[in-house]
Amino acid sequence: MPVTVEFSFMVKDKDEMIELAKKKTMPFLSKDSSMELSKATFGKTLTIKTKFPLGKKSVLEEKEPNALFHIVAQDNQVFVEPTDSLKKLNKSLKEISFALDVDLPPTRTIFRVISDSRKDFNLSATAIFFDNKAYLQFEKTLKRRDSVEVEFRGDEGSVYGEINPFLKYSNH
């Protein structure tokens, strides 16, 4: 599953900590991953384009144990689950600085769902934003070739900042 991850750094990186973090992170990512560091309004932004495996939890644990995250599709739900490799990466990043780590839930998680099913595809989620409007409970029926983009906000001000993002789905 293609994934784009962005990290914002609000500091001047005199000690090249971001470059060190990039070097320590690359071995944990898929082979075709890329990283780009750019200047932002305040500080720098590190953009990582990579892939995380998608599937049933037991299969992912067996076949993809080294991935940082698994995108689990099981029991009519899709969710992101951290792995032991994430713990290893965080331990490695802490050697650079105690302020460096990767936590769940992220500040923002955006799921883009595209239906290719001939049957209607029902999607639901709790505490999301859709078209910049907040929904406590969101439900949408997708016809073939329809798509939807939902955003979970896990920032500190959010009541749902402790819940890892997940979607529920069903086919009619």
Side-chain angles (χ1 to χ4, degrees):
M1 174 81 54
V3 177
T4 300
V5 182
E6 289 185 354
F7 294 95
S8 297
F9 300 93
M10 306 294 187
V11 296
K12 292 186 180 185
D13 190 23
K14 296 176 194 167
D15 299 329
E16 300 280 328
M17 286 192 304
I18 299 171
E19 285 299 324
L20 286 170
K22 282 173 58 177
K23 288 177 186 169
K24 287 187 176 260
T25 302
M26 275 311 276
F28 289 93
L29 301 176
S30 63
K31 293 175 185 148
D32 57 348
S33 298
S34 66
M35 289 190 187
E36 183 180 326
L37 188 61
S38 59
K39 289 185 179 184
T41 306
F42 301 104
K44 296 181 179 182
T45 299
L46 177 62
T47 303
I48 301 171
K49 292 188 184 255
T50 190
K51 293 180 181 168
F52 293 141
L54 167 73
K56 291 191 175 194
K57 185 175 181 174
S58 60
V59 174
L60 293 172
E61 287 173 346
E62 179 185 332
K63 303 224 180 228
E64 299 284 349
N66 296 323
L68 289 175
F69 295 96
H70 291 150
I71 301 173
V72 179
Q74 190 166 306
D75 301 325
N76 292 335
Q77 288 190 17
V78 176
F79 55 93
V80 179
E81 185 164 88
T83 66
D84 287 339
S85 290
L86 179 64
K87 291 176 189 171
K88 291 175 188 173
L89 172 61
N90 278 337
K91 185 177 179 183
S92 181
L93 292 174
K94 293 283 185 200
E95 293 171 0
I96 300 169
S97 169
F98 286 109
L100 291 177
D101 66 352
V102 179
D103 292 325
L104 274 180
T107 305
R108 292 177 52 215
T109 303
I110 299 171
F111 283 104
R112 183 177 301 125
V113 180
I114 303 167
S115 174
D116 196 30
S117 176
R118 294 185 192 275
K119 298 178 183 178
D120 287 355
F121 185 82
N122 293 322
L123 186 70
S124 65
T126 301
I128 62 101
F129 284 79
F130 172 70
D131 284 342
N132 288 320
K133 286 197 236 172
Y135 290 84
L136 181 58
Q137 287 296 328
F138 175 81
E139 293 185 11
K140 178 95 172 160
T141 299
L142 301 176
K143 305 266 186 220
R144 188 169 190 189
R145 307 278 191 252
D146 281 350
S147 66
V148 67
E149 198 171 272
V150 296
E151 178 182 350
F152 292 85
R153 295 189 182 166
D155 28 17
E156 292 179 27
S158 171
V159 174
Y160 297 95
E162 298 299 315
I163 300 172
N164 286 339
F166 71 95
L167 299 171
K168 291 183 181 181
Y169 63 89
S170 65
N171 277 8
H172 282 286

